[in-house]
Amino acid sequence: MSYPQSPRKAGMPREVLKWLQSLELSVYPKNVRRDFSNGFLVAEILSRYYPQDFPVHAYDNGTSLASKQRNWRQIERSLQKQNLHLMKDVIDRSIHCKPGAAELLVQEVYTLLTNQSIRDVQGPQSDFTDEEYQELLPAVARSTASRAIKNNLRITEIMAEPDISTNQRKTEAILRRHLEHKAAERVNNPGRFKGRANLGRLASRNLVPSGRRDECFAKSEGTTSKVCSSSTCRGAAVSFKEIKVHQPVRHSLINN
């Protein structure tokens, strides 16, 4: 069984790809999300247009979070000298390899340097989640709740902003969106969730209301058994019996 292509390898418009090839970069980006996250290739692209402001040797081609943040801070300072700006939110999402962020970043750099617009450019309303990819998958292959958190909350995000309350809100938002999708899936495909009733579901159907439960127990003289004799308990096929356990008398060592 073949599933749709993962969003981390999603393509870009043809004119952007041809533009990248014409720049003759030191490393051609094979995985857009990974290769553009540290900002090194972006600095190399900008050096083709502003060689004095973007010396390639001043940037680190590392993969650590510190290297990424250092490169991007230097890129933003150099862009301000040329009165150029990139969307801060897109840069942050690209650092953390969020789905669709790197593609939007490259298209924004292309528009900024060439003054040419792209028809199918991804708008800023993108939430940078894997929701679009999950919709393409069959129901059995979609992410679980734990996998949804892992896909949409990167470890680098937690490292960059270690505030517990902030990360908790992000996690709750991911879980809320995941549960909403599950609820919609149950509505759209109810037959898939019709399973055999287990013991817990059967017991919940035969529960006796608490107000009428006492009426179901009859205590006779000289016996300790409680049997459901009322008509209100006919729905429940469960009988109860009280067992008394006689504890042995423990003599204190002091008395002995």
Side-chain angles (χ1 to χ4, degrees):
M1 181 181 296
S2 61
Y3 295 144
Q5 194 176 26
S6 173
R8 67 172 177 274
K9 296 181 180 179
M12 291 183 293
R14 183 179 296 273
E15 55 267 31
V16 177
L17 294 176
K18 296 173 70 174
W19 172 68
L20 290 175
Q21 292 176 350
S22 65
L23 296 175
E24 297 182 354
L25 301 174
S26 59
V27 178
Y28 186 78
K30 296 181 180 180
N31 189 315
V32 178
R33 186 189 304 182
R34 178 196 62 200
D35 296 336
F36 282 95
S37 63
N38 62 358
F40 180 82
L41 283 180
V42 176
E44 189 174 358
I45 292 172
L46 294 171
S47 67
R48 298 293 191 269
Y49 293 84
Y50 306 99
Q52 299 296 329
D53 296 320
F54 295 92
V56 180
H57 61 82
Y59 295 89
D60 182 15
N61 194 15
T63 58
S64 65
L65 178 62
S67 299
K68 295 178 181 181
Q69 292 176 332
R70 184 168 53 251
N71 287 346
W72 280 109
R73 283 195 297 266
Q74 188 171 351
I75 289 174
E76 289 180 295
R77 286 195 299 265
S78 300
L79 284 174
Q80 289 178 357
K81 295 179 182 179
Q82 301 295 332
N83 199 21
L84 301 175
H85 303 278
L86 294 174
M87 288 188 292
K88 179 64 176 176
D89 185 53
V90 178
I91 293 176
D92 292 338
R93 302 302 178 93
S94 299
I95 291 176
H96 304 307
C97 299
K98 306 291 283 187
E103 290 83 356
L104 180 59
L105 175 67
V106 176
Q107 295 175 28
E108 187 179 358
V109 173
Y110 169 80
T111 304
L112 189 67
L113 297 177
T114 63
N115 294 323
Q116 297 181 11
S117 59
I118 304 174
R119 293 182 181 179
D120 56 348
V121 64
Q122 190 177 5
Q125 70 275 7
S126 175
D127 55 359
F128 303 108
T129 64
D130 65 341
E131 180 179 354
E132 182 179 355
Y133 174 60
Q134 293 296 325
E135 293 294 334
L136 299 176
L137 294 175
V140 295
R142 292 176 183 172
S143 297
T144 59
S146 60
R147 188 66 186 178
I149 296 174
K150 184 177 181 180
N151 290 344
N152 295 284
L153 183 61
R154 306 290 183 180
I155 185 63
T156 53
E157 292 184 77
I158 302 176
M159 294 170 60
E161 193 172 5
D163 182 64
I164 297 177
S165 300
T166 302
N167 293 317
Q168 184 178 359
R169 287 193 297 269
K170 292 180 181 179
T171 304
E172 291 175 352
I174 295 171
L175 286 176
R176 189 183 308 111
R177 184 170 59 248
H178 175 76
L179 294 177
E180 290 174 356
H181 292 168
K182 285 296 182 182
E185 186 178 344
R186 287 179 179 272
V187 174
N188 297 331
N189 189 12
R192 179 173 175 267
F193 297 91
K194 287 183 179 180
R196 181 181 298 178
N198 55 24
L199 184 60
R201 292 181 180 178
L202 293 175
S204 62
R205 295 174 186 173
N206 296 327
L207 285 177
V208 180
S210 59
R212 302 162 69 184
R213 188 177 301 159
D214 296 337
E215 301 176 4
C216 299
F217 300 119
K219 188 173 182 179
S220 304
E221 294 182 1
T223 178
T224 58
S225 62
K226 296 181 179 180
V227 183
C228 182
S229 59
S230 175
S231 60
T232 60
C233 300
R234 293 176 182 175
V238 182
S239 60
F240 301 89
K241 184 177 181 180
E242 184 179 290
I243 300 176
K244 287 187 176 181
V245 179
H246 298 280
Q247 297 289 343
V249 179
R250 297 182 179 181
H251 298 283
S252 175
L253 296 176
I254 300 176
N255 297 332
N256 294 334

